[in-house]
Amino acid sequence: MPQSADKVLDHNKLFHEPEYQDMLKAKRAKYENAPTAPQVTEILDWTKSWDYREKNLAREALVINPAKACQPLGAVFAAAGFEGTMSFVHGSQGCVAYYRSHLSRHFKEPSSAVSSSMTEDAAVFGGLVNMVDGLANTYALYSPKMIAVSTTCMAEVIGDDLNSFIIQAKEKGSVPEDYDVPFAHTPAFVGSHVDGYDNMIKGILGHFWKDATRKETDSINIIPGFDGYAVGNIRELNRMLREMGVTYTLLSDVSDVYDTPSDGTFRMYDGGTKLEDAKAAVNAKATLSMQEYNTKRTLELCEKAGQETAAFHYPMGVQGTDEFLMKVSDLSGKAIPDSLTLERGRLVDAMADSQAYLHGKTYAIYGDPDFVYAMARFVMETGGEPTHCLATNGSKEWKAQMEELLASSPFGANAQVWAGKDLWHLRSILATEPTDLLIGNSYGKYLERDLGIPLIRLTFPIFDRHHHHRFPTWGYQGGLNVLVKLLDTVFDKLDTDTGKLGETDISFDLTR
């Protein structure tokens, strides 16, 4: 055998050993009835043709590898940003295991959430008993300060009423009568994780603000939205606002719970927005959303409470950061400090230093609507061309906003916007209209492998690279990080293309 107790091989080497290769070959021949290698090549080549593209883009009844997740994932993420809060997902255990693993694999941290463990009997008779027992167990075992309830498909299909169930659970003594149990209906079969985030934030604020008497203050509420770079971005956001001297409340702060230290103490809950601050947030003069499509319903709630609202599209790069800081300055009366003005100038200088390597580069960008908008805008600031912009959870409204953005710059003249399309659509698009670079998440590595287009991982989820989320992409400092990622990929590709000794290395430059 190729390994022993003294020599344990990782799977990426183990299965290339002759014994395993022979076993896999025999399995294909005996059990799989696999097509021949020429047949595979023929079909593979056809799937990269214009003929296949037309058929692929015409499909309506099937989604293949969508660039989105389901609502409860966003709800679990949103709830994690509040002090001592445990997510309670009313549905099956398997669904909740997916949310926990998805978040844990990206942030490299434990992601706590519990389930009401609905099975076949609950699907027939309803999940009230599961809710009553589940809330009691959660309260007793994990001692949370708040339990935030969301739902999976099963609970929504049978029509379980969360408000009624929670009231009955309190009557049966599962948790104290005055204990905070906000909830949000988050059916996984409609919308996406950004809608789940929105519904849960609205549910939590609606719970605390119900019947509250508002006394306006000078404070500003900030809602970050669902963000794979939340750890770095929230800390950068805090830094900028503190430098401005602004009074503010961050609603759903996950920067600590998804970045706990290894010091011998397990922190199931860490940091987060204090519950008292969430209650007092009704008194803020305004609420700002860092991501419009993550907070549409929540901002409606804030407006009904009498607050001014404004929404941004993931404030990355020069213009995105400018717009955010100027709005904060206008609302707070605080001037933008010289320190941030200097950071802006340094970002512009860095972009100018490297413009020769980014000007004219073409990009395919996919992800959530606000991220794609921000990334396309930043790419155009560097002189790049966002040729294909795709958001599976993008709406007609988003598409119109994107087209307006792209029309504002000559670098957007050749861009195409793909709302509601998935990554298998994107494969056909890039096979027929390739770009220089691809920006998205880890799932883009299959497009990179199939089509030879370098992938830059800048959005959730990132499973196959570590710790990117600890560094910001928001603000001028975040823009500098993104700029470096773009440039490193361009230079890596240059080195690869010019690295063959005696043939292509005439441009294998040491200094660029």
Side-chain angles (χ1 to χ4, degrees):
M1 292 296 290
Q3 65 175 345
S4 65
D6 296 323
K7 180 188 176 184
V8 178
L9 299 180
D10 190 68
H11 66 89
N12 65 337
K13 293 183 178 179
L14 178 65
F15 296 118
H16 292 282
E17 293 292 321
E19 294 91 335
Y20 282 96
Q21 287 295 301
D22 291 343
M23 180 187 70
L24 294 171
K25 183 178 179 181
K27 177 176 175 286
R28 283 193 295 269
K30 187 173 182 179
Y31 299 110
E32 294 180 4
N33 192 28
T36 64
Q39 289 174 316
V40 171
T41 300
E42 179 186 0
I43 296 301
L44 188 63
D45 289 343
W46 175 66
T47 63
K48 297 177 182 179
S49 69
W50 279 94
D51 178 52
Y52 182 82
R53 168 178 162 148
E54 292 174 2
K55 293 177 171 60
N56 191 14
L57 292 179
R59 72 177 148 86
E60 298 177 354
L62 176 68
V63 177
I64 305 172
N65 203 6
K68 66 172 186 175
C70 59
Q71 281 206 49
L73 177 72
V76 170
F77 179 88
F82 290 86
E83 174 191 27
T85 297
M86 176 62 75
S87 271
F88 182 103
V89 187
H90 186 45
S92 64
Q93 287 181 327
C95 293
V96 182
Y98 157 69
Y99 314 139
R100 289 197 302 256
S101 67
H102 222 56
L103 292 167
S104 294
R105 288 169 179 169
H106 174 86
F107 289 108
K108 311 305 177 193
E109 293 285 342
S111 179
S112 299
V114 297
S115 166
S116 61
S117 302
M118 292 176 67
T119 53
E120 290 83 354
D121 56 344
V124 175
F125 300 109
L128 175 59
V129 173
N130 300 70
M131 177 72 74
V132 171
D133 293 343
L135 287 178
N137 290 337
T138 303
Y139 184 75
L141 291 173
Y142 305 115
S143 303
K145 293 185 176 182
M146 180 169 78
I147 300 173
V149 180
S150 54
T151 53
T152 67
C153 297
M154 181 187 292
E156 291 296 332
V157 167
I158 64 178
D160 278 1
D161 184 340
L162 292 184
N163 186 46
S164 172
F165 282 15
I166 292 168
I167 290 172
Q168 293 181 70
K170 288 185 173 183
E171 290 173 349
K172 294 177 184 294
S174 297
V175 296
E177 285 284 346
D178 60 350
Y179 185 75
D180 293 314
V181 188
F183 66 89
H185 285 275
T186 53
F189 44 78
V190 294
S192 72
H193 56 287
V194 301
D195 299 292
Y197 181 96
D198 189 8
N199 287 330
M200 181 51 75
I201 296 293
K202 179 185 177 184
I204 291 172
L205 297 184
H207 167 79
F208 285 127
W209 295 2
K210 185 179 180 182
D211 301 325
T213 301
R214 184 169 179 268
K215 298 178 181 178
E216 184 171 312
T217 67
D218 290 331
S219 182
I220 300 171
N221 296 328
I222 309 285
I223 307 176
F226 189 100
D227 179 20
Y229 278 75
V231 170
N233 281 339
I234 288 176
R235 289 173 180 167
E236 180 66 12
L237 182 60
N238 282 325
R239 185 188 68 83
M240 292 190 296
L241 293 173
R242 287 167 184 159
E243 287 204 29
M244 291 184 68
V246 175
T247 302
Y248 68 98
T249 298
L250 202 64
L251 297 173
S252 186
D253 181 354
V254 301
S255 60
D256 287 338
V257 74
Y258 287 135
D259 191 24
T260 59
S262 291
D263 57 4
T265 300
F266 171 62
R267 297 165 173 82
M268 180 172 286
Y269 316 107
D270 198 23
T273 304
K274 293 188 178 301
L275 302 189
E276 288 301 317
D277 290 344
K279 294 175 185 177
V282 69
N283 300 317
K285 70 181 298 183
T287 295
L288 304 182
S289 166
M290 305 299 276
Q291 299 189 67
E292 176 182 334
Y293 288 96
N294 286 243
T295 53
K296 284 186 170 292
R297 297 175 184 86
T298 301
L299 291 187
E300 289 175 0
L301 173 71
C302 297
E303 289 169 1
K304 289 179 181 178
Q307 297 175 358
E308 182 179 343
T309 64
F312 303 93
H313 296 290
Y314 205 85
M316 176 196 297
V318 179
Q319 184 179 347
T321 306
D322 287 353
E323 290 176 355
F324 171 69
L325 293 179
M326 287 190 291
K327 185 63 177 179
V328 170
S329 178
D330 178 59
L331 287 170
S332 66
K334 305 286 187 178
I336 298 172
D338 291 342
S339 58
L340 294 180
T341 303
L342 279 171
E343 289 178 15
R344 183 186 192 276
R346 289 167 184 150
L347 173 58
V348 172
D349 180 67
M351 293 163 65
D353 290 342
S354 306
Q355 60 84 27
Y357 291 96
L358 296 178
H359 186 276
K361 285 288 185 289
T362 58
Y363 298 80
I365 304 166
Y366 69 89
D368 290 338
D370 292 295
F371 169 79
V372 174
Y373 186 101
M375 197 70 246
R377 178 165 57 185
F378 183 63
V379 159
M380 291 192 293
E381 288 178 347
T382 69
E385 301 177 18
T387 307
H388 301 295
C389 300
L390 182 147
T392 305
N393 47 357
S395 62
K396 292 180 180 178
E397 178 188 1
W398 171 78
K399 182 177 181 181
Q401 286 183 326
M402 285 296 303
E403 289 173 343
E404 181 179 357
L405 169 70
L406 295 165
S408 70
S409 168
F411 299 112
N414 298 318
Q416 299 179 72
V417 182
W418 305 95
K421 299 301 184 183
D422 55 45
L423 295 189
W424 192 251
H425 288 125
L426 186 57
R427 183 180 181 276
S428 285
I429 292 165
L430 291 176
T432 48
E433 295 180 275
T435 57
D436 296 316
L437 299 165
L438 173 64
I439 297 175
N441 57 30
S442 286
Y443 289 105
K445 71 185 300 177
Y446 300 104
L447 298 174
E448 180 181 39
R449 180 186 64 182
D450 285 357
L451 304 171
I453 301 174
L455 170 65
I456 305 168
R457 296 160 176 81
L458 280 168
T459 191
F460 182 90
I462 300 175
F463 296 149
D464 60 339
R465 301 291 187 273
H466 291 193
H467 310 304
H468 288 210
H469 64 276
R470 302 178 195 273
F471 302 93
T473 57
W474 288 353
Y476 305 124
Q477 289 294 102
L480 191 58
N481 287 334
V482 175
L483 179 69
V484 170
K485 287 179 183 291
L486 301 183
L487 287 166
D488 281 352
T489 306
V490 168
F491 292 142
D492 286 345
K493 183 70 164 58
L494 270 174
D495 284 347
T496 300
D497 291 345
T498 61
K500 198 166 183 179
L501 187 64
E503 293 185 24
T504 62
D505 62 344
I506 191 171
S507 298
F508 192 68
D509 298 332
L510 179 62
T511 303
R512 291 190 170 117

